[in-house]
Amino acid sequence: MNKANVVLIHGLLRNKYSMWYLSKQLKKAEYTTFLFGYPSRGGTIEEHADRLRAFIRKNNLLGTEVNFVTHSLGSIVLREYLNRYAKEITAKRAVNLGPPHQGSITARVLSKL
């Protein structure tokens, strides 16, 4: 029996497969994992949050307890998603790896390119 659902969200300049190894380890521990991908340099945080919303719906996670593991920009995407749509799911836990909650030098530099 699986313990819980975990959605993994990658960071800037990455794709969903950058979270694959972590997903594999969580599966060994009997979690059900979902790799969410988005074009980190294309679109706004709000658009990424809307993509996450569609992903959660597509994977039938509405009405279930969902845990999240995020990296970098993925933490900001999750924060925006929860600010807008938290009533749609039960977000149980979130582990944020390297969240740029106070901004990012890399993001500032890339935004000028």
Side-chain angles (χ1 to χ4, degrees):
M1 181 172 160
N2 286 348
K3 293 180 181 178
N5 296 313
V6 181
V7 174
L8 295 101
I9 308 172
H10 65 85
L12 183 65
L13 301 176
R14 302 287 182 174
N15 61 42
K16 66 183 181 180
Y17 301 108
S18 65
M19 302 294 273
W20 175 83
Y21 183 78
L22 182 53
S23 172
K24 180 179 171 183
Q25 298 306 308
L26 288 166
K27 286 179 183 179
K28 284 183 184 178
E30 300 183 3
Y31 290 90
T32 301
T33 63
F34 301 86
L35 295 171
F36 172 66
Y38 62 99
S40 65
R41 293 227 24 226
T44 64
I45 299 299
E46 294 80 11
E47 290 168 337
H48 300 325
D50 289 342
R51 285 185 179 96
L52 178 57
R53 182 183 193 204
F55 178 84
I56 286 171
R57 288 179 172 197
K58 176 183 167 195
N59 287 285
N60 299 314
L61 296 173
L62 295 178
T64 68
E65 285 187 349
V66 182
N67 298 290
F68 295 90
V69 177
T70 66
H71 176 250
S72 184
L73 180 61
S75 304
I76 306 303
V77 172
L78 176 61
R79 184 176 68 190
E80 180 63 21
Y81 169 80
L82 292 173
N83 282 337
R84 297 170 76 189
Y85 307 116
K87 293 180 182 180
E88 295 182 353
I89 63 163
T90 302
K92 190 170 180 180
R93 290 184 179 92
V95 175
N96 295 254
L97 306 171
H101 291 302
Q102 296 181 359
S104 163
I105 293 171
T106 303
R108 282 191 289 277
V109 169
L110 288 173
S111 71
K112 295 176 183 177
L113 297 179

